[in-house]
Amino acid sequence: MSDRQSTDDLIRRLAAAPPPVRFSPVAVLGGMAGLIVLGLTFYFAWFGLRSDLLTAWARLPVQAKTVLPGLLSILAIWLALGSARPGRRVVLWPVFVPVALALAMAAHRMATAEGPLLAETLGQTALACLASIAMLSALPLALGVFLLRRAAPTRPVLTGALLGVATGAGVAAGYALHCTEDSPLFVISWYGLAIAATGGVGGWLGHRLLRW
Amino acid sequence: MDLAFALSPRHVCSGPPTPVILATGRAEGRVPQEEVWEVLLARANDGDGTAFARFLHAVTPTLRAVIRRRGDGLPPDQHEDILQEVLLAIHLKRQTWRRDAPVRPWLYALARYKVVDAFRRRGASVTLPIEEFAEVLPEENVAVPLSGRDAELMLGMIDARSAMLVRAVALDGKTAEEAGEMVGITAGAARVALHRAMRRLSGLAERMMK
């Protein structure tokens, strides 16, 4: 039970306090991108890029496997940073554009492929794919959530989930340069699952850490 | 600044800028109470404490109105608490306002978030002062598990000072100030001690009833 007198006191105390630390979207962007690139650099140094990268790059499914997650990552981080300030309208549909394109490619592959679709979808390296993307996402996502605690997301779960999707998709775009499985069916399943998982973790972290 | 002024259309920044807003902007400084919120908050974020105090005073009537409109279910004496929570949040999150954006959408979204949060934490239940229903409420005729003898028994099971406080406040009807004076502590400390004692007692009572 407070009265107006104590409200005036509070205003006086708040006015005397120094302004809090500035929320910097550039720091979030730079810090997360830096950690993702650093992680991928170590990963490539250890496990290498795919040996046929230069020749394979001419094929559309190979390009798509880097370009589409990259696009998703950029859109998601842009929306996450927008949603971190009160009073900004968040329009979600852009993130579904790369997802729809990937689905279209998978559908096209399903219609034209000969041979067992299931084996093609399961691939040989699904677990390595999931584990790599998850491991490489951990630090950048943690940093992003930490820096966003200075912001004021009015939908913390959504902001956290977008941050997670941005991280997972960014890592996946780089991991694709190592991965030799080019079927859109494999990519949509396992890259999709990995990105959805980082998004889920991000949403959970948002619920736990981004409320204010 | 009174409420009618705070909510007057010429202070609403969305929509096409009208000559009135421009005039207000230019008159800023000459007519202090018409200072634009954007200018005040921008100065405040640069470290100008006076500007921040003026900003908080300026937005307070609007916030009171928002809380009153949203807070039908809560007694008005809690509205001021919620207002203070919103003011504190404005301070903590003031750097998330972008200088090139109008203040109002930012402020309303922040206030809505904090107000909804405050009401949710207090529970959506309707609380009304029970005194007004004293005449119509039926007398509770269930057996009271905590009879006088039980109370004395349980008070013997907690430390002497807490027992003294509980006896003074709960059984003899003294205020926390008087009770604190009796045992030589401040009213605030007495309230805290009392709260802890009551919690221990209710734990004891639960065990006794099993």
Side-chain angles (χ1 to χ4, degrees), chain A residues 83-102:
Chain A
S83 73
R85 295 177 193 270
R88 296 270 293 258
R89 203 208 290 275
V90 182
V91 186
L92 277 182
W93 65 261
V95 297
F96 294 106
V97 172
V99 178
L101 286 173

Side-chain angles (χ1 to χ4, degrees), chain A residues 2 6-7 85 149 151 212, chain B residues 80-81 84 93 96 109 114:
Chain A
S2 321
S6 72
T7 301
R85 295 177 193 270
R149 283 172 62 84
W212 42 285
Chain B
E80 202 70 9
D81 287 354
Q84 293 190 4
K93 299 301 183 185
T96 64
K114 285 314 282 186

Side-chain angles (χ1 to χ4, degrees), chain B residues 3-79:
Chain B
L3 185 60
F5 177 79
L7 294 174
S8 68
R10 60 187 164 151
H11 261 237
V12 175
C13 282
S14 54
T18 64
V20 185
I21 288 180
L22 292 176
T24 316
R26 251 183 267 124
E28 184 257 318
R30 233 177 336 124
V31 195
Q33 61 269 51
E34 288 207 6
E35 274 181 326
V36 196
W37 290 1
E38 281 76 8
V39 176
L40 283 178
L41 190 54
R43 272 201 228 137
N45 281 355
D46 288 334
D48 181 347
T50 329
F52 190 48
R54 280 224 289 281
F55 175 77
L56 291 180
H57 278 300
V59 300
T60 295
T62 311
L63 295 177
R64 281 213 174 90
V66 170
I67 294 168
R68 205 178 313 129
R69 212 165 35 228
R70 174 71 174 71
D72 291 334
L74 277 185
D77 54 0
Q78 294 205 9
H79 289 187

Side-chain angles (χ1 to χ4, degrees), chain A residues 7-45:
Chain A
T7 301
D8 288 344
D9 289 344
L10 176 74
I11 290 180
R12 209 167 302 121
R13 282 210 312 281
L14 293 180
V21 191
R22 203 172 286 266
F23 159 62
S24 159
V26 178
V28 179
L29 215 55
M32 289 178 68
L35 277 188
I36 290 175
V37 169
L38 190 72
L40 284 169
T41 309
F42 277 111
Y43 190 86
F44 293 148

Side-chain angles (χ1 to χ4, degrees), chain B residues 95-161:
Chain B
Q95 299 278 17
T96 64
W97 170 65
R98 285 173 62 119
R99 271 154 208 259
D100 50 0
V103 160
R104 270 171 188 75
W106 174 83
L107 180 72
Y108 294 154
L110 183 149
R112 198 183 313 121
Y113 178 80
K114 285 314 282 186
V115 169
V116 168
D117 182 56
F119 280 108
R120 193 183 295 145
R121 263 188 290 111
R122 284 167 174 78
S125 60
V126 180
T127 48
L128 293 168
I130 197 168
E131 290 79 10
E132 291 174 17
F133 299 90
E135 298 303 316
V136 290
L137 283 174
E139 191 178 0
E140 289 193 45
N141 49 6
V142 287
V144 185
L146 200 64
S147 68
R149 211 174 55 85
D150 288 342
E152 286 302 323
L153 192 73
M154 278 165 45
L155 283 174
M157 292 161 78
I158 63 175
D159 65 287
R161 199 184 68 173

